[in-house]
Amino acid sequence: MATEASQAHPFQAIPKPTDFHPEISAASSPTAHDGLEFWQFMIAGSIAGSVEHTAMFPVDTLKTRMQALSGSGSLPIRPVGVRQALNSILKLEGPSVLYRGIGAMGLGAGPAHAVYFSVYEYFKDSFSGQNPNNPAAHAAAGVFATVASDAVITPMDMVKQRLQLKSSPYKGLGDCVRRVLAEEGFGAFYASYRTTVVMNAPFTAVHFAAYEAAKRGLTEFSPQSASDERLLVHATAGAVAGALAAALTTPLDVVKTQLQCQGVCGCDRYSNSSIGDVIKSVVIKDGYHGLMRGWIPRMLFHAPAAAICWSTYEAAKLFFQRLNNTNHTMIT
């Protein structure tokens, strides 16, 4: 019995971390978590996602251009660096092109991140007993969150990437949606969904686990200034987590881009959505290093994007927590 009791369950509750704030409590509802209602997590996540993607959209455009390059037939693809890609866009197309497709991302990012963070908070609460200090619970909750949010954002992400391509044949968001429906059918919007989930599940697991661990480490390093530097801690932890997760999942991101841009602007078309077939095609044409195409702008996107997203999200959460606490005080 003693041996069984001493074996830690991966999702068991463990002591509160130093950044736990008991003074901010679930005041208004027994279903609240972290002092917030489910709809407040959705609003905080929506704001965070919209700010993140708007701020980092030009870098995302560079990444898409680098990953979607296609050779002629079986010829190797000529490597293009970040600086070369940026200079080419600025000289030949103008800086406004860096924001082409931002409308599609705006329509998808807000709702998707609302789902993402609310589902994450729900399962984190369920798995860890409201103790945000368990990496296994954070990783598992992140996987559930990404499966749900990817179902929301994948169609608009596909539209966004097609609009980002050089010499894109689409006049805008509406034209792209109409033509894809007419020419390829509704399934084209979800051609990369399986790949996106396979990519984002490990991405999110690494991201959330690294974020919570980095946040805890930074807080424990200087506990006396944790409250004063709260947003800086969230931003730093988010940047570390975003960069690490982005680097590890770049090959699957290349596959996702190939599937979403297939048949457009010279990109190869695939007979099915098989991840293995796309990987073989990329390796044959560009070698194994082709699977890491765009890794630099991907890291340059996700490190600051995660910092922006997490700090914005935590700031929005803090606003709602204080608002709820104030309302509770006034009622009582």
mmCIF file of all heavy atoms in Angstrom, residues 182-214:
data_model
loop_
_atom_site.group_PDB
_atom_site.id
_atom_site.type_symbol
_atom_site.label_atom_id
_atom_site.label_comp_id
_atom_site.label_asym_id
_atom_site.label_seq_id
_atom_site.Cartn_x
_atom_site.Cartn_y
_atom_site.Cartn_z
ATOM 1 N N ALA A 182 -15.621 26.451 -55.909
ATOM 2 C CA ALA A 182 -16.090 26.083 -57.243
ATOM 3 C C ALA A 182 -15.150 25.101 -57.943
ATOM 4 O O ALA A 182 -15.589 24.181 -58.628
ATOM 5 C CB ALA A 182 -16.255 27.344 -58.093
ATOM 6 N N GLU A 183 -13.843 25.299 -57.771
ATOM 7 C CA GLU A 183 -12.863 24.524 -58.526
ATOM 8 C C GLU A 183 -12.361 23.276 -57.793
ATOM 9 O O GLU A 183 -11.999 22.286 -58.420
ATOM 10 C CB GLU A 183 -11.671 25.416 -58.887
ATOM 11 C CG GLU A 183 -12.050 26.599 -59.783
ATOM 12 C CD GLU A 183 -10.918 27.605 -59.915
ATOM 13 O OE1 GLU A 183 -9.792 27.300 -59.455
ATOM 14 O OE2 GLU A 183 -11.163 28.712 -60.454
ATOM 15 N N GLU A 184 -12.329 23.326 -56.477
ATOM 16 C CA GLU A 184 -11.719 22.225 -55.725
ATOM 17 C C GLU A 184 -12.658 21.592 -54.705
ATOM 18 O O GLU A 184 -12.384 20.486 -54.216
ATOM 19 C CB GLU A 184 -10.450 22.721 -55.016
ATOM 20 C CG GLU A 184 -9.419 23.320 -55.962
ATOM 21 C CD GLU A 184 -8.248 23.939 -55.217
ATOM 22 O OE1 GLU A 184 -7.635 23.228 -54.386
ATOM 23 O OE2 GLU A 184 -7.946 25.134 -55.440
ATOM 24 N N GLY A 185 -13.737 22.281 -54.372
ATOM 25 C CA GLY A 185 -14.678 21.734 -53.402
ATOM 26 C C GLY A 185 -14.340 22.121 -51.974
ATOM 27 O O GLY A 185 -13.237 22.587 -51.678
ATOM 28 N N PHE A 186 -15.295 21.904 -51.062
ATOM 29 C CA PHE A 186 -15.134 22.295 -49.665
ATOM 30 C C PHE A 186 -13.967 21.574 -48.989
ATOM 31 O O PHE A 186 -13.300 22.128 -48.111
ATOM 32 C CB PHE A 186 -16.432 22.011 -48.898
ATOM 33 C CG PHE A 186 -16.389 22.424 -47.456
ATOM 34 C CD1 PHE A 186 -16.535 23.751 -47.084
ATOM 35 C CD2 PHE A 186 -16.185 21.470 -46.468
ATOM 36 C CE1 PHE A 186 -16.477 24.131 -45.750
ATOM 37 C CE2 PHE A 186 -16.134 21.834 -45.126
ATOM 38 C CZ PHE A 186 -16.283 23.171 -44.774
ATOM 39 N N GLY A 187 -13.715 20.338 -49.409
ATOM 40 C CA GLY A 187 -12.643 19.556 -48.793
ATOM 41 C C GLY A 187 -11.276 20.195 -48.915
ATOM 42 O O GLY A 187 -10.381 19.916 -48.106
ATOM 43 N N ALA A 188 -11.084 21.065 -49.917
ATOM 44 C CA ALA A 188 -9.785 21.715 -50.110
ATOM 45 C C ALA A 188 -9.408 22.594 -48.926
ATOM 46 O O ALA A 188 -8.222 22.778 -48.628
ATOM 47 C CB ALA A 188 -9.806 22.556 -51.385
ATOM 48 N N PHE A 189 -10.425 23.136 -48.253
ATOM 49 C CA PHE A 189 -10.143 23.991 -47.098
ATOM 50 C C PHE A 189 -9.546 23.197 -45.943
ATOM 51 O O PHE A 189 -8.892 23.770 -45.059
ATOM 52 C CB PHE A 189 -11.424 24.689 -46.630
ATOM 53 C CG PHE A 189 -11.938 25.731 -47.581
ATOM 54 C CD1 PHE A 189 -13.049 25.483 -48.373
ATOM 55 C CD2 PHE A 189 -11.294 26.953 -47.701
ATOM 56 C CE1 PHE A 189 -13.521 26.440 -49.252
ATOM 57 C CE2 PHE A 189 -11.753 27.916 -48.573
ATOM 58 C CZ PHE A 189 -12.876 27.664 -49.362
ATOM 59 N N TYR A 190 -9.789 21.888 -45.928
ATOM 60 C CA TYR A 190 -9.291 21.047 -44.845
ATOM 61 C C TYR A 190 -8.270 20.016 -45.327
ATOM 62 O O TYR A 190 -7.997 19.035 -44.637
ATOM 63 C CB TYR A 190 -10.456 20.331 -44.154
ATOM 64 C CG TYR A 190 -11.212 21.230 -43.204
ATOM 65 C CD1 TYR A 190 -12.345 21.922 -43.629
ATOM 66 C CD2 TYR A 190 -10.787 21.410 -41.889
ATOM 67 C CE1 TYR A 190 -13.039 22.766 -42.766
ATOM 68 C CE2 TYR A 190 -11.468 22.243 -41.020
ATOM 69 C CZ TYR A 190 -12.592 22.919 -41.453
ATOM 70 O OH TYR A 190 -13.267 23.757 -40.598
ATOM 71 N N ALA A 191 -7.674 20.266 -46.495
ATOM 72 C CA ALA A 191 -6.693 19.319 -47.035
ATOM 73 C C ALA A 191 -5.501 19.139 -46.103
ATOM 74 O O ALA A 191 -4.894 18.067 -46.045
ATOM 75 C CB ALA A 191 -6.213 19.790 -48.407
ATOM 76 N N SER A 192 -5.167 20.180 -45.355
ATOM 77 C CA SER A 192 -3.990 20.124 -44.470
ATOM 78 C C SER A 192 -4.368 19.929 -43.008
ATOM 79 O O SER A 192 -3.496 19.995 -42.138
ATOM 80 C CB SER A 192 -3.170 21.414 -44.609
ATOM 81 O OG SER A 192 -3.887 22.506 -44.048
ATOM 82 N N TYR A 193 -5.651 19.671 -42.719
ATOM 83 C CA TYR A 193 -6.066 19.607 -41.310
ATOM 84 C C TYR A 193 -5.337 18.503 -40.545
ATOM 85 O O TYR A 193 -4.843 18.725 -39.433
ATOM 86 C CB TYR A 193 -7.577 19.390 -41.210
ATOM 87 C CG TYR A 193 -8.070 19.266 -39.776
ATOM 88 C CD1 TYR A 193 -7.983 20.346 -38.889
ATOM 89 C CD2 TYR A 193 -8.588 18.065 -39.297
ATOM 90 C CE1 TYR A 193 -8.413 20.224 -37.574
ATOM 91 C CE2 TYR A 193 -9.015 17.942 -37.985
ATOM 92 C CZ TYR A 193 -8.931 19.030 -37.137
ATOM 93 O OH TYR A 193 -9.348 18.907 -35.835
ATOM 94 N N ARG A 194 -5.255 17.327 -41.148
ATOM 95 C CA ARG A 194 -4.572 16.224 -40.463
ATOM 96 C C ARG A 194 -3.115 16.574 -40.192
ATOM 97 O O ARG A 194 -2.601 16.352 -39.084
ATOM 98 C CB ARG A 194 -4.669 14.946 -41.299
ATOM 99 C CG ARG A 194 -3.974 13.749 -40.660
ATOM 100 C CD ARG A 194 -4.202 12.480 -41.468
ATOM 101 N NE ARG A 194 -3.764 12.626 -42.852
ATOM 102 C CZ ARG A 194 -3.882 11.676 -43.773
ATOM 103 N NH1 ARG A 194 -4.464 10.533 -43.453
ATOM 104 N NH2 ARG A 194 -3.444 11.871 -44.997
ATOM 105 N N THR A 195 -2.452 17.138 -41.209
ATOM 106 C CA THR A 195 -1.055 17.544 -41.039
ATOM 107 C C THR A 195 -0.929 18.630 -39.980
ATOM 108 O O THR A 195 0.004 18.628 -39.173
ATOM 109 C CB THR A 195 -0.479 18.060 -42.373
ATOM 110 O OG1 THR A 195 -0.637 17.061 -43.367
ATOM 111 C CG2 THR A 195 0.995 18.403 -42.227
ATOM 112 N N THR A 196 -1.873 19.574 -39.990
ATOM 113 C CA THR A 196 -1.847 20.671 -39.023
ATOM 114 C C THR A 196 -1.974 20.144 -37.603
ATOM 115 O O THR A 196 -1.253 20.579 -36.700
ATOM 116 C CB THR A 196 -2.986 21.670 -39.311
ATOM 117 O OG1 THR A 196 -2.852 22.173 -40.644
ATOM 118 C CG2 THR A 196 -2.945 22.842 -38.337
ATOM 119 N N VAL A 197 -2.878 19.188 -37.399
ATOM 120 C CA VAL A 197 -3.053 18.605 -36.068
ATOM 121 C C VAL A 197 -1.812 17.815 -35.666
ATOM 122 O O VAL A 197 -1.324 17.924 -34.525
ATOM 123 C CB VAL A 197 -4.298 17.699 -36.017
ATOM 124 C CG1 VAL A 197 -4.346 16.913 -34.714
ATOM 125 C CG2 VAL A 197 -5.564 18.537 -36.156
ATOM 126 N N VAL A 198 -1.281 17.004 -36.595
ATOM 127 C CA VAL A 198 -0.080 16.216 -36.306
ATOM 128 C C VAL A 198 1.091 17.131 -35.984
ATOM 129 O O VAL A 198 1.941 16.799 -35.141
ATOM 130 C CB VAL A 198 0.266 15.304 -37.504
ATOM 131 C CG1 VAL A 198 1.635 14.649 -37.319
ATOM 132 C CG2 VAL A 198 -0.802 14.233 -37.676
ATOM 133 N N MET A 199 1.159 18.293 -36.625
ATOM 134 C CA MET A 199 2.221 19.260 -36.348
ATOM 135 C C MET A 199 1.972 19.999 -35.040
ATOM 136 O O MET A 199 2.854 20.132 -34.188
ATOM 137 C CB MET A 199 2.317 20.280 -37.487
ATOM 138 C CG MET A 199 3.278 21.444 -37.198
ATOM 139 S SD MET A 199 3.245 22.717 -38.490
ATOM 140 C CE MET A 199 1.631 23.472 -38.169
ATOM 141 N N ASN A 200 0.751 20.498 -34.876
ATOM 142 C CA ASN A 200 0.465 21.359 -33.734
ATOM 143 C C ASN A 200 0.291 20.614 -32.416
ATOM 144 O O ASN A 200 0.420 21.218 -31.349
ATOM 145 C CB ASN A 200 -0.784 22.203 -34.010
ATOM 146 C CG ASN A 200 -0.483 23.366 -34.933
ATOM 147 O OD1 ASN A 200 0.672 23.746 -35.109
ATOM 148 N ND2 ASN A 200 -1.511 23.941 -35.534
ATOM 149 N N ALA A 201 -0.024 19.322 -32.471
ATOM 150 C CA ALA A 201 -0.144 18.569 -31.220
ATOM 151 C C ALA A 201 1.198 18.534 -30.487
ATOM 152 O O ALA A 201 1.274 18.953 -29.324
ATOM 153 C CB ALA A 201 -0.677 17.168 -31.485
ATOM 154 N N PRO A 202 2.288 18.076 -31.142
ATOM 155 C CA PRO A 202 3.583 18.144 -30.448
ATOM 156 C C PRO A 202 4.055 19.579 -30.234
ATOM 157 O O PRO A 202 4.688 19.887 -29.216
ATOM 158 C CB PRO A 202 4.534 17.382 -31.375
ATOM 159 C CG PRO A 202 3.880 17.387 -32.707
ATOM 160 C CD PRO A 202 2.414 17.370 -32.440
ATOM 161 N N PHE A 203 3.749 20.470 -31.197
ATOM 162 C CA PHE A 203 4.124 21.880 -31.030
ATOM 163 C C PHE A 203 3.511 22.443 -29.755
ATOM 164 O O PHE A 203 4.185 23.075 -28.933
ATOM 165 C CB PHE A 203 3.643 22.698 -32.240
ATOM 166 C CG PHE A 203 3.900 24.186 -32.109
ATOM 167 C CD1 PHE A 203 5.051 24.748 -32.638
ATOM 168 C CD2 PHE A 203 2.998 25.021 -31.464
ATOM 169 C CE1 PHE A 203 5.301 26.108 -32.520
ATOM 170 C CE2 PHE A 203 3.232 26.379 -31.333
ATOM 171 C CZ PHE A 203 4.389 26.922 -31.870
ATOM 172 N N THR A 204 2.209 22.198 -29.582
ATOM 173 C CA THR A 204 1.511 22.746 -28.429
ATOM 174 C C THR A 204 1.956 22.080 -27.139
ATOM 175 O O THR A 204 2.092 22.746 -26.100
ATOM 176 C CB THR A 204 -0.015 22.578 -28.602
ATOM 177 O OG1 THR A 204 -0.398 23.156 -29.850
ATOM 178 C CG2 THR A 204 -0.769 23.264 -27.488
ATOM 179 N N ALA A 205 2.179 20.759 -27.191
ATOM 180 C CA ALA A 205 2.642 20.058 -25.997
ATOM 181 C C ALA A 205 3.982 20.623 -25.532
ATOM 182 O O ALA A 205 4.169 20.925 -24.350
ATOM 183 C CB ALA A 205 2.760 18.568 -26.282
ATOM 184 N N VAL A 206 4.933 20.781 -26.469
ATOM 185 C CA VAL A 206 6.241 21.351 -26.137
ATOM 186 C C VAL A 206 6.078 22.800 -25.679
ATOM 187 O O VAL A 206 6.675 23.233 -24.689
ATOM 188 C CB VAL A 206 7.193 21.282 -27.348
ATOM 189 C CG1 VAL A 206 8.481 22.057 -27.067
ATOM 190 C CG2 VAL A 206 7.518 19.842 -27.680
ATOM 191 N N HIS A 207 5.228 23.540 -26.401
ATOM 192 C CA HIS A 207 5.041 24.972 -26.125
ATOM 193 C C HIS A 207 4.505 25.205 -24.714
ATOM 194 O O HIS A 207 5.071 25.964 -23.932
ATOM 195 C CB HIS A 207 4.079 25.562 -27.158
ATOM 196 C CG HIS A 207 3.964 27.059 -27.105
ATOM 197 N ND1 HIS A 207 3.975 27.834 -28.227
ATOM 198 C CD2 HIS A 207 3.832 27.925 -26.066
ATOM 199 C CE1 HIS A 207 3.863 29.106 -27.890
ATOM 200 N NE2 HIS A 207 3.765 29.176 -26.574
ATOM 201 N N PHE A 208 3.390 24.555 -24.382
ATOM 202 C CA PHE A 208 2.782 24.787 -23.081
ATOM 203 C C PHE A 208 3.652 24.279 -21.938
ATOM 204 O O PHE A 208 3.792 24.944 -20.905
ATOM 205 C CB PHE A 208 1.401 24.133 -23.016
ATOM 206 C CG PHE A 208 0.316 24.981 -23.612
ATOM 207 C CD1 PHE A 208 -0.334 24.590 -24.768
ATOM 208 C CD2 PHE A 208 -0.060 26.172 -23.020
ATOM 209 C CE1 PHE A 208 -1.333 25.374 -25.335
ATOM 210 C CE2 PHE A 208 -1.063 26.958 -23.573
ATOM 211 C CZ PHE A 208 -1.702 26.560 -24.732
ATOM 212 N N ALA A 209 4.230 23.088 -22.109
ATOM 213 C CA ALA A 209 5.084 22.546 -21.055
ATOM 214 C C ALA A 209 6.315 23.430 -20.838
ATOM 215 O O ALA A 209 6.694 23.729 -19.700
ATOM 216 C CB ALA A 209 5.508 21.122 -21.408
ATOM 217 N N ALA A 210 6.939 23.883 -21.953
ATOM 218 C CA ALA A 210 8.109 24.755 -21.843
ATOM 219 C C ALA A 210 7.730 26.116 -21.273
ATOM 220 O O ALA A 210 8.473 26.695 -20.462
ATOM 221 C CB ALA A 210 8.757 24.929 -23.219
ATOM 222 N N TYR A 211 6.576 26.627 -21.671
ATOM 223 C CA TYR A 211 6.116 27.927 -21.167
ATOM 224 C C TYR A 211 5.899 27.890 -19.658
ATOM 225 O O TYR A 211 6.392 28.755 -18.918
ATOM 226 C CB TYR A 211 4.825 28.337 -21.870
ATOM 227 C CG TYR A 211 4.127 29.507 -21.207
ATOM 228 C CD1 TYR A 211 4.622 30.792 -21.331
ATOM 229 C CD2 TYR A 211 2.982 29.305 -20.444
ATOM 230 C CE1 TYR A 211 3.993 31.864 -20.711
ATOM 231 C CE2 TYR A 211 2.343 30.366 -19.818
ATOM 232 C CZ TYR A 211 2.850 31.648 -19.958
ATOM 233 O OH TYR A 211 2.229 32.698 -19.326
ATOM 234 N N GLU A 212 5.167 26.896 -19.193
ATOM 235 C CA GLU A 212 4.881 26.809 -17.760
ATOM 236 C C GLU A 212 6.166 26.572 -16.966
ATOM 237 O O GLU A 212 6.349 27.142 -15.882
ATOM 238 C CB GLU A 212 3.870 25.685 -17.487
ATOM 239 C CG GLU A 212 2.504 25.882 -18.141
ATOM 240 C CD GLU A 212 1.654 26.946 -17.436
ATOM 241 O OE1 GLU A 212 2.103 27.479 -16.404
ATOM 242 O OE2 GLU A 212 0.542 27.228 -17.920
ATOM 243 N N ALA A 213 7.069 25.746 -17.501
ATOM 244 C CA ALA A 213 8.332 25.474 -16.809
ATOM 245 C C ALA A 213 9.209 26.718 -16.765
ATOM 246 O O ALA A 213 9.808 27.042 -15.727
ATOM 247 C CB ALA A 213 9.071 24.325 -17.500
ATOM 248 N N ALA A 214 9.291 27.435 -17.902
ATOM 249 C CA ALA A 214 10.103 28.653 -17.947
ATOM 250 C C ALA A 214 9.521 29.733 -17.046
ATOM 251 O O ALA A 214 10.252 30.441 -16.341
ATOM 252 C CB ALA A 214 10.202 29.162 -19.393
#
